[in-house]
């Protein structure tokens, strides 16, 4: 991870501070209310000391008791009102700060994650990424709250108590300071180990969550193959790992608490013994005994509360660190600084000496050259793994080239913005993915500013208007996650309507009619012919008969174009395309070349 290229810090506390700065005034007020609260709590025992001393020295009648402590009582009530006011102010500040704080983190990180490459999302569970994005704002809020409302409060309280005890007798401050030193030392000793343990637990919990989402997403397959028992066992492995790492982290905290418990017992014993000794030797008054005793137990309670909070602090810090480790990977594909938008006037495509490989040992294209004229309709043919999908992925710049260039109308696509490039391309995939939104929203995704009438017109051309009208909620019907409520053919027709609405100058079709019945396919083919007019079109097809209207067919094999021409010319030539045509089964190309005749040689 190259932190210098990231848009915000990549360590937990610097990350939190980055977003705190956006509302620094409110967080400063948070800290001030915490400081005021600490001063108030610290000074209460002093008032009680004055009351005890005043009453112990009073020998008058009962009616005069109230007059003796009246001034102290007024101060007590005043301090109580101030503390209550600070607490209410703190609560109101949280209402106007934390929702915006969480939203700022969530939207900023989500915007960053969206810019990752296709490969990133292929390599990570969507549920895992979503959980980390969901946990991150909440954990940041928890940590910032602990610092403002607990750690700062206790730190100020400690300073106040040390100073007030020093005024009574320095020995009490020295005992308290010695205990604080031992307490902090024990905490520091275990905290780093605890942070690592909770980070490991957060990672295992995210993996478990991702696997659960994966199972739920594929529940139809689980039922189809009756694999409920298998999936339970599959998840149990991740569950066991989460349990083990949770136990490890909790044991670390429990050992910390054992050490702190011994330290706290030593403080109580040392302070009480010294108070009794001082009282017996007449240098500690009853009021001093009350003040020091109350402040000791108040501070011990607060420090113990903080110690228990450290487990949550370590857990939330680990969660933040683990989330940042996943989501803040440097972007694989980035726009150049001040990159211009792509301007498509004709739609001419050109691969110039392209070299591309997914890994060092997996070269797909080497010195690859091809030119597609503006408005030309190109068919791509070849076995799986021959380079067809990579070809269209590179046009959309889902990957960067090792060398060479891909140009559209003379503009290198690596030098223009990715958004403008993809705005210029309409893609109809073989397996369209829809949002769990209404049909109207899914189709309008092709052009967000389109009117309802334009959406309906595109639907009619794509022949999906008929089945949409039959739905109870029509265009407002929700399609389910990834469009699960629709059939494969219906999803494909929605994708075609979306592409029609987009009306981009470059059109890519990846088996766009493979999920359609023959009657609907014929209707859609007519619609697609209209869509292709005046557009540069690239069609990937395993059903070779669908390429009869193509201006040119490119036959791919192992990253090379080994044959090209019109369908009729390639069939007459009797070469590789003709052999593929002969090898079709039910109109479809076989998956690999092993099904070819033994005497056919690919060159």
């Amino acid at each position: 991870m190259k932190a210098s290229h990231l848009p915000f810090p990549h360590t937990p506390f610097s990350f939190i501070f980055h977003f705190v700065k956006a509302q620094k005034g409110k967080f400063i007020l948070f800290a001030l209310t915490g400081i005021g609260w600490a001063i108030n709590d610290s000074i209460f025992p002093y008032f009680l000391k004055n009351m005890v001393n005043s009453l112990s020295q009073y020998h008058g009648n009962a009616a005069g008791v109230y007059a003796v402590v009246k001034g102290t009582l007024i101060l007590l009530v005043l301090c109580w009102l101030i503390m209550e006011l600070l607490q209410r102010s703190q609560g109101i500040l949280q209402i106007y700060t934390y929702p915006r704080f969480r939203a700022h983190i969530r939207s900023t990180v989500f915007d960053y994650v969206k810019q990752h490459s296709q490969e990133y999302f292929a390599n990570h569970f969507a549920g895992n990424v979503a959980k980390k994005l969901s946990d991150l704002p909440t954990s940041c809020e928890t940590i910032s709250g602990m610092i403002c409302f607990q750690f700062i409060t206790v730190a100020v309280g400690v300073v106040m108590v040390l100073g007030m005890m020093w005024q009574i007798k320095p020995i009490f401050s020295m005992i308290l300071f010695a205990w604080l030193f031992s307490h902090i030392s024990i905490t520091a000793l275990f905290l780093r180990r605890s942070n690592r343990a909770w980070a490991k637990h957060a990672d295992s919990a995210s993996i478990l969550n991702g696997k659960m989402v994966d199972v739920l997403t594929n529940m139809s397959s689980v039922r189809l193959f009756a694999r409920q028992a298998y999936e339970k066992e599959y998840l149990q492995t991740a569950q066991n790992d989460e349990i083990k790492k949770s136990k490890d982290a909790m044991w670390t905290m429990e050992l910390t608490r054992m050490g702190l418990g011994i330290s706290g017992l030593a403080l109580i014993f040392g302070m009480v013994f010294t108070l009794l000794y001082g009282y017996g030797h007449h240098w500690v008054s009853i009021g001093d005994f009350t003040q020091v005793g109350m402040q000791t137990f108040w501070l011990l309670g607060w420090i113990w509360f903080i110690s228990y909070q450290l487990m949550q602090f370590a857990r939330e810090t680990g969660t933040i660190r683990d989330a940042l480790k996943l989501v803040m990977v440097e972007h694989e594909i980035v726009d150049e600084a001040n990159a211009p938008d792509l301007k498509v006037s004709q739609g001419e495509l050109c691969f110039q000496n392209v070299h591309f490989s997914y890994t060092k040992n997996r070269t797909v294209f080497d010195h690859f050259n091809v030119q597609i004229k503006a408005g030309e309709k190109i068919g791509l043919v070849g076995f799986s793994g021959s380079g067809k999908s990579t070809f269209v992925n590179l046009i959309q710049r889902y990957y960067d080239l090792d060398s060479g260039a891909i140009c559209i109308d003379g503009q290198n696509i690596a030098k223009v913005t990715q958004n403008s490039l993809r705005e210029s391309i309409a893609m109809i995939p073989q397996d369209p993915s829809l949002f769990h939104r209404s049909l109207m929203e899914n189709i309008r995704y092709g052009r967000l500013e389109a009117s309802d009438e334009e959406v309906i017109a595109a639907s009619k051309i794509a022949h999906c208007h008929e089945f949409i009208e039959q739905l109870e909620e029509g265009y407002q019907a929700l399609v389910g996650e990834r469009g699960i409520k629709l059939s494969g053919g219906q999803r494909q027709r929605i994708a075609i309507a979306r592409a029609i609405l987009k009306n981009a100058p470059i059109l890519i079709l990846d088996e766009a009619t493979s999920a359609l019945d023959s009657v609907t396919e014929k209707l859609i083919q007519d619609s697609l012919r209209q869509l292709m007019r005046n557009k540069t079109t690239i069609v990937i097809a395993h059903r070779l008969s669908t390429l009869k209207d193509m201006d040119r067919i490119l036959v791919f094999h192992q990253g090379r174009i080994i044959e090209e021409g019109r369908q009729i010319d390639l069939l007459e030539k009797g070469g590789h395309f003709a052999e593929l045509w002969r090898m079709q089964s039910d109109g479809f190309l076989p998956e690999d070349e092993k099904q070819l005749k033994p005497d056919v040689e690919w060159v």
Side-chain angles (χ1 to χ4, degrees):
M1 182 186 298
K2 300 176 183 176
S4 59
H5 294 158
L6 296 174
F8 30 71
H10 67 288
T11 57
F13 297 110
S14 57
F15 178 84
I16 293 170
F17 184 66
H18 177 83
F19 292 95
V20 164
K21 286 189 297 183
Q23 300 185 80
K24 59 184 177 183
K26 293 175 183 174
F27 279 96
I28 289 171
L29 286 175
F30 278 150
L32 290 175
T33 57
I35 291 170
W37 190 9
I39 293 172
N40 237 337
D41 265 15
S42 302
I43 211 167
F44 265 118
Y46 174 74
F47 293 140
L48 289 176
K49 167 191 170 177
N50 288 340
M51 290 176 68
V52 169
N53 282 340
S54 297
L55 291 172
S56 65
Q57 295 169 11
Y58 179 69
H59 301 292
N61 57 37
V65 169
Y66 298 104
V68 172
V69 296
K70 181 176 68 174
T72 305
L73 280 174
I74 290 171
L75 289 173
L76 268 173
V77 171
L78 183 62
C79 285
W80 182 270
L81 290 174
I82 291 172
M83 187 168 68
E84 192 67 23
L85 179 63
L86 288 172
Q87 287 180 316
R88 299 291 73 76
S89 300
Q90 202 175 82
I92 293 169
L93 272 172
Q94 289 183 61
I95 294 172
Y96 288 96
T97 303
Y98 275 126
R100 181 181 165 193
F101 178 71
R102 293 192 304 269
H104 188 192
I105 294 172
R106 189 182 299 113
S107 61
T108 304
V109 177
F110 184 65
D111 285 345
Y112 181 80
V113 169
K114 284 190 301 183
Q115 297 174 56
H116 279 308
S117 68
Q118 296 290 97
E119 190 173 5
Y120 174 88
F121 292 105
N123 292 335
H124 295 92
F125 280 121
N128 190 9
V129 176
K131 184 177 188 304
K132 291 181 189 295
L133 288 174
S134 175
D135 289 345
L136 191 57
T138 305
S139 295
C140 289
E141 176 187 349
T142 302
I143 294 293
S144 67
M146 286 181 172
I147 293 171
C148 289
F149 308 140
Q150 296 171 17
F151 297 163
I152 290 178
T153 300
V154 171
V156 172
V158 166
V159 173
M160 287 284 297
V161 169
L162 283 170
M164 294 173 74
M165 285 186 177
W166 186 274
Q167 292 297 319
I168 296 173
K169 286 293 179 183
I171 184 66
F172 297 119
S173 289
M174 293 166 68
I175 293 171
L176 184 59
F177 186 81
W179 172 74
L180 283 170
F181 180 79
S182 68
H183 190 97
I184 292 169
S185 298
I186 293 169
T187 302
L189 182 66
F190 286 94
L191 186 58
R192 190 172 180 182
R193 185 185 302 175
S194 181
N195 278 340
R196 288 197 299 266
W198 282 116
K200 289 179 181 178
H201 171 258
D203 186 51
S204 66
S206 293
I207 290 172
L208 174 61
N209 185 74
K211 289 186 175 182
M212 290 176 68
V213 172
D214 187 45
V215 172
L216 292 172
T217 303
N218 292 281
M219 187 53 67
S220 58
S221 296
V222 174
R223 287 172 175 159
L224 181 64
F225 292 95
R227 292 291 183 261
Q228 284 88 347
Y230 171 81
E231 291 303 331
K232 182 179 179 180
E233 186 178 342
Y234 172 77
L235 289 175
Q236 192 61 47
T237 303
Q239 182 84 302
N240 291 340
D241 184 63
E242 187 273 338
I243 291 171
K244 178 182 179 302
K245 288 175 179 173
S246 178
K247 285 181 177 178
D248 291 344
M250 293 175 75
W251 262 114
T252 304
M253 290 308 304
E254 203 55 42
L255 290 171
T256 306
R257 287 168 179 165
M258 289 178 187
L260 296 179
I262 295 170
S263 170
L265 186 63
L267 170 66
I268 294 170
F269 178 80
M271 199 67 83
V272 171
F273 176 83
T274 306
L275 283 167
L276 289 171
Y277 181 86
Y279 183 75
H281 287 78
H282 308 295
W283 48 267
V284 170
S285 68
I286 292 291
D288 293 336
F289 205 111
T290 302
Q291 179 184 330
V292 172
M294 284 193 67
Q295 286 179 331
T296 299
F297 280 99
W298 172 81
L299 200 58
L300 184 62
W302 256 109
I303 298 290
W304 260 104
F305 174 72
I306 292 296
S307 300
Y308 272 87
Q309 290 294 90
L310 282 176
M311 184 168 79
Q312 185 180 5
F313 186 83
R315 180 187 301 166
E316 301 296 348
T317 304
T319 298
I320 294 170
R321 183 179 288 109
D322 187 57
L324 294 179
K325 184 174 67 175
L326 175 67
V327 303
M328 292 185 66
V329 176
E330 197 172 353
H331 289 147
E332 302 85 350
I333 300 173
V334 295
D335 292 340
E336 289 189 350
N338 302 314
D341 288 344
L342 176 68
K343 306 294 183 184
V344 180
S345 56
Q346 302 295 322
E348 183 183 63
L349 264 165
C350 186
F351 278 61
Q352 300 172 352
N353 205 27
V354 166
H355 181 91
F356 174 75
S357 55
Y358 289 105
T359 61
K360 289 182 179 179
N361 301 320
R362 191 185 168 195
T363 298
V364 181
F365 295 134
D366 187 22
H367 301 293
F368 183 86
N369 293 277
V370 69
Q371 185 168 3
I372 299 173
K373 298 175 184 177
E376 193 173 15
K377 297 169 183 56
I378 300 294
L380 306 186
V381 173
F383 294 116
S384 295
S386 62
K388 305 184 304 298
S389 295
T390 303
F391 182 81
V392 298
N393 285 338
L394 291 179
I395 292 172
Q396 297 171 89
R397 205 187 165 199
Y398 287 156
Y399 302 92
D400 274 334
L401 306 178
D402 299 325
S403 62
I406 300 173
C407 295
I408 296 178
D409 287 343
Q411 302 160 82
N412 188 339
I413 64 170
K415 307 293 183 182
V416 300
T417 61
Q418 296 175 66
N419 276 347
S420 65
L421 168 66
R422 291 162 193 161
E423 282 287 346
S424 303
I425 300 171
M427 172 80 175
I428 304 176
Q430 183 175 2
D431 183 22
S433 178
L434 304 181
F435 294 96
H436 181 37
R437 302 172 191 173
S438 70
L439 285 161
M440 179 67 74
E441 289 174 289
N442 270 288
I443 298 171
R444 185 179 276 130
Y445 210 73
R447 183 158 53 88
L448 297 177
E449 67 276 12
S451 65
D452 289 359
E453 291 73 21
E454 289 174 309
V455 169
I456 294 170
S459 302
K460 288 178 178 178
I461 296 172
H463 294 279
C464 53
H465 179 72
E466 296 86 343
F467 80 80
I468 293 175
E469 276 198 318
Q470 294 173 9
L471 299 174
E472 185 176 343
E473 296 178 51
Y475 281 87
Q476 299 308 314
L478 298 176
V479 301
E481 188 175 7
R482 297 180 64 85
I484 196 171
K485 291 184 178 181
L486 304 179
S487 69
Q490 288 172 333
R491 287 198 301 272
Q492 213 154 30
R493 279 181 273 175
I494 296 297
I496 292 170
R498 199 155 55 182
I500 291 170
L501 195 64
K502 186 174 184 180
N503 196 30
I506 298 172
L507 178 65
I508 299 175
L509 290 80
D510 183 1
E511 286 292 339
T513 61
S514 60
L516 305 178
D517 58 80
S518 56
V519 176
T520 306
E521 182 187 12
K522 186 178 185 309
L523 295 172
I524 293 300
Q525 288 289 3
D526 294 336
S527 303
L528 290 177
R529 273 191 284 271
Q530 294 180 45
L531 180 60
M532 291 178 194
R533 284 177 187 165
N534 304 316
K535 291 180 175 61
T536 303
T537 306
I538 297 169
V539 180
I540 299 177
H542 290 94
R543 189 184 297 172
L544 303 185
S545 59
T546 61
L547 301 176
K548 60 184 176 62
D549 295 326
M550 295 295 103
D551 299 321
R552 188 159 44 121
I553 295 172
L554 307 180
V555 182
F556 278 74
H557 180 64
Q558 295 182 357
R560 293 176 296 139
I561 297 174
I562 59 173
E563 202 170 60
E564 61 179 290
R566 293 176 62 211
Q567 185 183 95
I568 188 169
D569 298 329
L570 292 174
L571 288 173
E572 288 178 358
K573 182 180 178 183
H576 304 292
F577 182 81
E579 180 60 24
L580 290 174
W581 185 276
R582 191 194 67 79
M583 289 298 298
Q584 287 183 110
S585 175
D586 295 326
F588 286 93
L589 187 66
E591 279 294 310
D592 56 57
E593 58 192 277
K594 293 177 183 177
Q595 300 179 45
L596 287 173
K597 292 193 305 184
D599 59 336
V600 174
E601 181 183 358
W602 290 88
V603 294

